[in-house]
């Protein structure tokens, strides 16, 4: 632990991602993070690792966002404020308003042009084509043409929003983060629901890649101020979440390694001059033996604490870059760093994981004591947090029992 550096971590966000970053700052530097957010989820409450300093429901308004952050900085005179956004909306707001905040905070963020290129899935796939990255066969449907749209792919297909921020804010009966769709009638039912809501942006239609959650991969990277990738950590997904709005979020991950994936993503990021955290979702396609990219999140992901758990502390790379301005060599997680990271109970993992190779790895890591929970740590113990953690684990057991593999519109 390096406690000599003089700075204050400031986190934008109040969810599991924010808590993972707070743990990262504490474990690397022994510092409690200050937090600015719209609202605080249970995982960040009653914590010794982070304080909830500002809750502003209107934080997604540009004027309010800038005023709130500058007002916070005014109360911290003379401090190096290292700022880490932890969510799509917070990242979007910082991208848009970065010039208004650079005199008060130290942060790493892409330009508005880069964000526009990568922030929605349809633009992301255009970028993939330019740089030769493989992704699932993809089509688009819009609010103007959905009534006449016919899928160019055989069923089943995947249906999901191109603009996740706008989709998160819409409401309609039967809403899911993504759908598996088996027929034209199901597709019509999904699109009728979507376009009856406030969401009027593009929907993505994709070829369905067979295989369960264990075929998914997730990669976290950090690119420094010069556009050099200084950290990569690949995760082998054990289980995703299966609630309607949790689909695609990860519940358990083991540290992985794939030299080809590392090289392709590193080349892509450095070619476009990317800076800051990035988070990639991929899936192994057994039909042709390739890994298909789904999306890039221009931030660290909700499950990104698995990177810190694997020995590649997220906060370290940010601080080395924006505060110390060090030019560090590439640091890559390998299977020597292997751990099992989880948000969910071990009995849920054992019950709902069917792949025999994955189950063998899980049991080996459990037996070796190489298990890390995001929610629970020796550095943040209290009666209130223990009760909250136990309630959280009970809720996960109920959620998997009720929602596992229910990804169709009528499930």
């Amino acid at each position: 632990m390096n406690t000599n550096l003089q700075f204050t971590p400031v986190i934008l966000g109040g969810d599991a991602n924010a808590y993972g970053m707070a743990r990262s700052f504490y474990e690397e530097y022994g510092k409690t993070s200050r937090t600015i957010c719209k609202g605080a989820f249970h995982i960040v409450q009653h914590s010794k690792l982070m304080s909830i300093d500002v809750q502003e429901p209107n934080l997604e308004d540009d004027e309010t966002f800038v005023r709130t952050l500058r007002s916070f900085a005014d109360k911290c005179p003379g401090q190096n404020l290292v700022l880490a956004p932890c969510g799509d909306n917070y990242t979007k707001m910082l991208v848009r308003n970065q010039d208004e905040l650079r005199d008060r905070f130290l942060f790493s963020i892409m330009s508005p042009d880069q964000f526009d290129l990568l922030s929605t899935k349809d633009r992301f796939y255009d970028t993939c084509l330019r740089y030769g990255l493989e992704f699932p066969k993809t089509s688009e449907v819009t609010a103007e043409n959905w009534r006449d749209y016919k899928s160019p792919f055989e069923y089943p297909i995947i249906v999901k929003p191109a603009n996740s921020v706008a989709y998160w804010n819409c409401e309609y009966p039967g809403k899911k983060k993504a759908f598996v769709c088996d027929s034209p009638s199901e597709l019509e039912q999904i699109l009728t629901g979507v376009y009856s809501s406030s969401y009027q942006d593009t929907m993505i239609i994709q070829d369905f890649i067979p295989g369960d959650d264990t075929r998914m991969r997730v990669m976290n990277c950090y690119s420094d101020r010069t556009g050099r990738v200084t950290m990569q950590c690949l995760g082998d997904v054990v289980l995703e979440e299966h609630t309607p709005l949790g689909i695609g979020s990860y519940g358990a991950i083991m540290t992985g390694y794939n030299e080809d994936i590392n090289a392709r993503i590193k080349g892509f990021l450095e070619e476009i001059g990317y800076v800051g955290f990035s988070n990639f979702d991929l899936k192994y396609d057994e039909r042709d033996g390739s890994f298909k990219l789904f999306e890039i999140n221009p931030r660290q992901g909700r499950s990104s604490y698995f990177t810190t758990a694997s020995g590649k502390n997220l906060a370290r790379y940010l601080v080395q870059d924006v505060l110390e301005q060090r030019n560090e060599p590439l640091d890559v997680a390998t299977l020597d760093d292997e751990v099992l990271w989880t948000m969910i109970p071990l009995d849920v993992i054992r019950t709902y994981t069917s792949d025999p190779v994955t189950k063998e790895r899980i049991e080996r890591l459990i037996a070796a004591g190489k298990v890390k929970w995001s929610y629970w740590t020796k550095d943040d113990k209290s009666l209130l947090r223990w009760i909250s953690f136990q309630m959280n684990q009970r809720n996960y057991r109920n959620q998997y029992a009720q929602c596992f593999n229910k990804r169709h519109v009528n499930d």
Side-chain angles (χ1 to χ4, degrees), residues 289-320:
S290 68
F291 286 92
K292 301 291 198 313
L293 282 168
F294 282 171
E295 64 180 334
I296 173 177
N297 294 304
R299 52 169 172 78
Q300 69 280 50
R302 174 183 174 276
S303 60
S304 290
Y305 181 76
F306 91 85
T307 303
T308 295
S310 301
K312 310 303 174 187
N313 187 292
L314 293 165
R316 181 194 316 147
Y317 305 97
L318 176 62
V319 172
Q320 287 175 345

Side-chain angles (χ1 to χ4, degrees), residues 17-59:
N17 187 358
Y19 188 74
M21 277 304 298
R23 279 191 66 175
S24 299
F25 277 116
Y26 187 84
E27 290 170 7
E28 188 72 15
Y29 300 105
K31 295 184 182 296
T32 299
S33 295
R34 310 286 296 274
T35 307
I36 301 169
C37 59
K38 288 182 61 179
F41 286 72
H42 52 83
I43 192 171
V44 303
Q45 295 176 8
H46 314 298
S47 175
K48 302 171 187 175
L49 310 186
M50 59 193 304
S51 61
I52 308 300
D53 295 86
V54 180
Q55 291 191 67
E56 171 51 69
N58 199 34
L59 203 56

Side-chain angles (χ1 to χ4, degrees), residues 148-288:
D148 300 317
Y149 179 85
K150 291 181 174 55
S151 170
F153 315 122
E154 292 185 6
Y155 288 89
I157 57 174
I158 298 294
V159 184
K160 59 187 179 182
N163 187 331
S164 57
V165 174
Y167 189 76
W168 180 259
N169 292 321
C170 83
E171 295 291 339
Y172 65 90
K175 177 183 173 183
K176 287 182 168 67
K177 189 176 176 182
F179 296 88
V180 176
C181 177
D182 281 338
S183 67
S185 60
E186 282 190 14
L187 178 59
E188 182 181 7
Q189 185 178 348
I190 293 165
L191 296 178
T192 299
V194 169
Y195 289 119
S196 69
S197 76
S198 62
Y199 185 86
Q200 297 297 301
D201 212 328
T202 301
M203 293 293 288
I204 297 293
I205 310 297
Q206 270 183 344
D207 175 39
F208 176 76
I209 298 176
D212 64 11
D213 295 355
T214 64
R215 298 298 185 264
M216 292 296 300
R217 301 291 183 269
V218 56
M219 174 169 280
N220 289 316
C221 300
Y222 186 81
S223 302
D224 70 12
R225 63 198 179 282
T226 69
R228 290 173 51 256
V229 176
T230 56
M231 184 276 292
Q232 291 184 288
C233 184
L234 183 68
D236 296 340
V237 175
V238 176
L239 278 177
E240 293 185 4
E241 296 200 10
H242 285 253
T243 57
L245 297 182
I247 294 168
S249 298
Y250 303 122
I253 297 170
M254 296 181 293
T255 315
Y257 178 77
N258 185 295
E259 186 173 353
D260 179 60
I261 293 175
N262 285 1
R264 286 193 292 131
I265 290 180
K266 178 177 182 292
F268 168 74
L269 290 171
E270 293 187 343
E271 180 70 20
I272 66 172
Y274 190 95
V275 296
F277 288 109
S278 56
N279 171 257
F280 292 81
D281 294 319
L282 312 93
K283 189 173 185 180
Y284 178 71
D285 190 342
E286 60 191 22
R287 298 171 298 184
D288 60 11

